[in-house]
Amino acid sequence: MEETSWEPPPVLLAVDLVILTLRSSRLHVLLVERGIEPYEGASALPGGFLFDSGEDIRAAAHRELSEEANLDASRLHLEQLGAYGSPDRDPRGRVVSVAYLAIAPGLPEPEAGTDASAASWLPVEEFTSGRAPLAFDHHRILEDGVEQARTELEHTSLATAFCNETFTISELQRVYEAVWGQQLDPRNFYRKVQAVPGFILPAVSDRRPTRGRPARLFRRGPRTRLRPPMMRPDPPTQSEER
Amino acid sequence: MEETSWEPPPVLLAVDLVILTLRSSRLHVLLVERGIEPYEGASALPGGFLFDSGEDIRAAAHRELSEEANLDASRLHLEQLGAYGSPDRDPRGRVVSVAYLAIAPGLPEPEAGTDASAASWLPVEEFTSGRAPLAFDHHRILEDGVEQARTELEHTSLATAFCNETFTISELQRVYEAVWGQQLDPRNFYRKVQAVPGFILPAVSDRRPTRGRPARLFRRGPRTRLRPPMMRPDPPTQSEER
DNA sequence: TCAAAAGTGTTATGCGTACACCCATGG
DNA sequence: CCATGGGTGTACGCATAACACTTTTGA
């Protein structure tokens, strides 16, 4: 196959992170303000180049997670979204970026890591609804990440990654509602979630003060693949087919 | 973030292809015999390095599809599986491979492309059931590809990519049975498939000779996302939870 | 006329949904 | 005792699975 003197072209490898969390019942994504060209001053996903030839790609994602988001890597869902490598995606040269999806529970004050001074949580709908621009092809990466989160909420226990160690069922419901962007019936959700074997487990009652009747607390169950799945109601499908 | 004189390390970018098809009602994958080190003589997925710095990754996958499998790139489903980049996956150096899943309809004689002399279709179960080894991390890539095909059969019209331009419903059923590895009721399948709007459309009757009553012919419909999904029956889930 | 595969009807069951209703707590 | 959110009961409709049955062809 190969010619005698032909050599494959080298490329630069980067990682980009779609870090999602829930803040005040809305889905937010962590973005940084770029300090250097290209796209200086624009919003971008946290990320960066592979540190050295021996670094594993997932390890690089974890490293950027600490450096740029100041997030504790342990107990954090991290999952590959795919490779993005259009020849013209980075004006500096041929850069292929491997994108990861990270899910963080709601955090008190997540801003300002060690080196990215201008990291902040922004509502995803400001970017998926066409408005604000992002550097490189990060707009597409973000959309892919949100879509993956949406479908994984159906088939995996990903939703619990948005929650703390213990959580109430209505907290879990707010995750589903925020990511899917639609309202769910609390009473049916309550039973449906508990009907999936191994999804959530009762936790020791350590109720927090609240208005209304205190809710029972739960924790993640052992099962990661949900059977049966939590199917989202069809969005208002006005046009059946064409 | 960056040091003044630090430069990101270059990597080599490869593509690998999981090309699936159906032969005599069983799922097969296209494998080549490696002609050079490393893993000389071992079976491997078709693939190769990026040709030059300007080549798009998907284009490289299409090129390898033609070169190694001699498959017409047009009308062929091609989809990214993910990036595989463990530091030690290739003894020659740091190679990151972007894997693609390709689905081909049953072909008369698919062997022997232009340069890979020893390409052949092998039943996937010989490799997923632990037995035969594959070069590099291709065993894992193959498993990921088959799993992706399985779940996409539920939610997308991927199954029609295994079929020719026109097909019968029982041909489509054989696709589902081969990929999922379980039997389906022909009568319920018959109606279920037709109940999904836009999945399959009636084609001009051009019946082929067969034993028994000739079947109606169908072609792909416009819809790629199936609503409702074709849910596979739970596999014999002996252990409920633990 | 028989075998084989395609296609249709019918029924029981289970699940999702909607919604009425009761429970427990803070103010 | 009232507002607020947590939790339970239940009925209805629809999707599915199971399977008896009819149709259409080749041999």
Side-chain angles (χ1 to χ4, degrees):
Chain A
M1 173 203 317
E2 279 76 16
E3 303 284 332
T4 53
S5 61
W6 178 82
E7 288 289 328
V11 305
L12 298 183
L13 195 84
V15 295
D16 284 307
L17 291 159
V18 178
I19 312 174
L20 300 178
T21 196
L22 224 66
R23 290 172 69 80
S24 57
S25 298
R26 291 172 73 202
L27 189 64
H28 286 61
V29 60
L30 192 76
L31 295 177
V32 300
E33 185 181 339
R34 283 186 61 80
I36 58 171
E37 288 293 339
Y39 296 99
E40 182 170 351
S43 288
L45 298 174
F49 288 109
L50 206 64
F51 181 70
D52 63 40
S53 281
E55 188 181 45
D56 184 74
I57 305 180
R58 175 176 298 270
H62 270 113
R63 177 175 51 74
E64 295 291 341
L65 202 58
S66 310
E67 289 180 8
E68 299 218 33
N70 202 22
L71 289 177
D72 179 14
S74 68
R75 228 196 69 220
L76 206 69
H77 184 93
L78 195 69
E79 177 177 345
Q80 193 187 118
L81 270 176
Y84 295 79
S86 292
D88 58 351
R89 69 181 292 276
D90 192 322
R92 290 169 294 186
R94 189 63 195 268
V95 177
V96 173
S97 178
V98 178
Y100 281 84
L101 175 67
I103 305 295
L107 298 163
E109 274 310 317
E111 323 237 338
T114 59
D115 65 5
S117 53
S120 54
W121 295 109
L122 282 317
V124 297
E125 54 181 52
E126 291 186 10
F127 300 91
T128 52
S129 301
R131 291 199 279 285
L134 291 176
F136 305 108
D137 51 4
H138 288 185
H139 196 277
R140 165 189 272 274
I141 297 178
L142 173 60
E143 282 179 340
D144 289 351
V146 172
E147 181 53 35
Q148 173 139 335
R150 271 197 243 267
T151 66
E152 292 212 22
L153 243 54
E154 295 188 301
H155 304 288
T156 76
S157 56
L158 178 66
T160 60
F162 283 94
C163 300
N164 294 316
E165 201 56 48
T166 64
F167 49 87
T168 69
I169 289 193
S170 62
E171 280 167 0
L172 192 61
Q173 179 180 348
R174 274 191 281 278
V175 172
Y176 276 90
E177 290 181 334
V179 178
W180 284 350
Q182 46 190 293
Q183 299 279 106
L184 302 173
D185 184 302
R187 304 162 297 219
N188 292 330
F189 183 86
Y190 183 89
R191 280 173 294 202
K192 190 171 188 171
V193 160
Q194 290 183 100
V196 182
F199 185 12
I200 59 174
L201 261 33
V204 287
S205 275
D206 184 13
R207 285 107 184 268
R208 295 183 278 277
T210 170
R211 270 210 298 278
R213 175 175 175 172
R216 297 185 235 200
L217 290 179
F218 294 83
R219 56 190 172 83
R220 303 172 232 290
R223 185 157 292 249
T224 168
R225 214 85 202 166
L226 303 187
R227 287 169 179 281
M230 300 280 299
M231 299 222 298
R232 56 178 143 170
D234 313 84
T237 315
Q238 50 272 37
S239 63
E240 264 310 294
E241 61 177 307
R242 56 193 64 202
Chain B
M1 170 203 321
E2 278 76 17
E3 304 283 332
T4 53
S5 60
W6 177 82
E7 287 289 327
V11 305
L12 299 183
L13 196 84
V15 295
D16 284 308
L17 291 158
V18 178
I19 312 175
L20 300 178
T21 197
L22 224 65
R23 291 172 68 80
S24 57
S25 297
R26 291 170 73 203
L27 190 64
H28 285 61
V29 60
L30 191 77
L31 296 177
V32 299
E33 186 182 338
R34 282 186 62 80
I36 58 171
E37 288 294 341
Y39 297 99
E40 182 169 351
S43 287
L45 298 173
F49 288 109
L50 205 63
F51 182 72
D52 63 39
S53 281
E55 188 180 44
D56 185 75
I57 306 179
R58 175 174 297 271
H62 270 113
R63 176 176 51 74
E64 295 291 341
L65 203 58
S66 310
E67 288 181 8
E68 298 217 35
N70 203 22
L71 289 177
D72 179 14
S74 67
R75 228 194 70 222
L76 205 69
H77 183 94
L78 195 70
E79 179 176 344
Q80 192 187 119
L81 270 177
Y84 295 79
S86 292
D88 58 351
R89 69 182 293 276
D90 191 322
R92 290 169 293 185
R94 189 62 194 270
V95 177
V96 172
S97 178
V98 178
Y100 282 84
L101 175 66
I103 305 296
L107 298 164
E109 275 310 318
E111 322 237 339
T114 59
D115 64 7
S117 52
S120 54
W121 295 109
L122 281 317
V124 296
E125 54 181 54
E126 291 187 10
F127 300 90
T128 53
S129 300
R131 290 198 280 283
L134 291 176
F136 304 107
D137 51 2
H138 288 185
H139 196 277
R140 165 189 272 276
I141 297 177
L142 173 60
E143 282 181 338
D144 290 350
V146 172
E147 181 53 35
Q148 173 139 336
R150 271 197 243 269
T151 67
E152 291 213 21
L153 243 55
E154 295 189 301
H155 305 287
T156 75
S157 55
L158 177 66
T160 60
F162 283 94
C163 300
N164 294 316
E165 200 57 48
T166 64
F167 50 89
T168 69
I169 289 192
S170 63
E171 282 167 359
L172 192 62
Q173 179 180 346
R174 276 191 282 277
V175 172
Y176 277 90
E177 290 181 332
V179 178
W180 284 350
Q182 45 190 296
Q183 300 279 105
L184 303 173
D185 184 301
R187 306 164 295 224
N188 292 331
F189 184 86
Y190 184 89
R191 280 172 294 201
K192 190 171 187 169
V193 158
Q194 290 184 96
V196 182
F199 186 11
I200 60 174
L201 262 31
V204 287
S205 275
D206 185 11
R207 286 108 183 272
R208 296 183 277 277
T210 170
R211 270 211 298 277
R213 175 174 176 174
R216 299 184 229 193
L217 290 178
F218 294 83
R219 54 189 172 85
R220 303 172 232 289
R223 184 157 292 246
T224 168
R225 214 83 203 168
L226 303 187
R227 285 172 180 283
M230 301 280 299
M231 300 225 296
R232 55 178 144 168
D234 312 84
T237 314
Q238 49 271 41
S239 64
E240 262 311 295
E241 62 176 305
R242 56 193 66 198

